[in-house]
Amino acid sequence: MKSYRLKDSPKEARRRNGSVLSYTPPLTVLTPMPESLLTIDQVAKYLKVDKFTVYRLVTKKKLPGFKVGNQWRFKRTTIDSWLEQNSNLRTNNSNQ
C-alpha cells in the first residue's frame, strides 16, 4: 500500500490510486486541555475587586500568580486554593 503525504486529501488519493479505501488520514494525538489561566481583569472580576487591588496583592506576593512576558497569569485552581486558605470560615476539622 502506498503512503501519502499529509497534504494528500481523499480526493487526491482517489485520483492517484482510484480508491478512497487506500487513503489513511494522519493520526491526531489528542492532548488534554491545559488548566485555564486567568488574566488580571478576570481575577479581579472573579474576586469582585478592582484590578489595582489584584496588582497590589500579586506584587506583594500575597496572591499567587506568575508572569508570561510582561503580563500576569493566574491558575484558577490556585486562586481557589488561596481563597480557601485565606478564608475566615474554618471547617470543623481545622479546629481540632
Side-chain angles (χ1 to χ4, degrees), residues 40-51:
I40 287 272
D41 290 328
Q42 292 169 326
V43 171
K45 190 173 186 178
Y46 183 57
L47 298 177
K48 296 184 171 123
V49 297
D50 193 74
K51 71 178 184 178

Side-chain angles (χ1 to χ4, degrees), residues 2-75:
K2 291 182 181 179
S3 63
Y4 295 101
R5 295 170 293 169
L6 291 178
K7 70 178 189 174
D8 285 348
S9 67
K11 186 176 181 180
E12 289 173 338
R14 196 177 322 117
R15 182 177 49 84
R16 289 178 192 227
N17 204 7
S19 170
V20 177
L21 296 176
S22 65
Y23 175 74
T24 53
L27 292 176
T28 303
V29 178
L30 297 176
T31 57
M33 284 293 289
E35 185 179 358
S36 69
L37 295 177
L38 304 174
T39 63
I40 287 272
D41 290 328
Q42 292 169 326
V43 171
K45 190 173 186 178
Y46 183 57
L47 298 177
K48 296 184 171 123
V49 297
D50 193 74
K51 71 178 184 178
F52 296 108
T53 302
V54 177
Y55 274 119
R56 184 174 42 82
L57 290 171
V58 75
T59 54
K60 290 183 177 182
K61 299 187 182 208
K62 293 187 176 185
L63 182 66
F66 58 95
K67 276 195 159 188
V68 177
N70 65 348
Q71 299 177 351
W72 285 100
R73 293 291 182 260
F74 307 86
K75 290 184 180 180

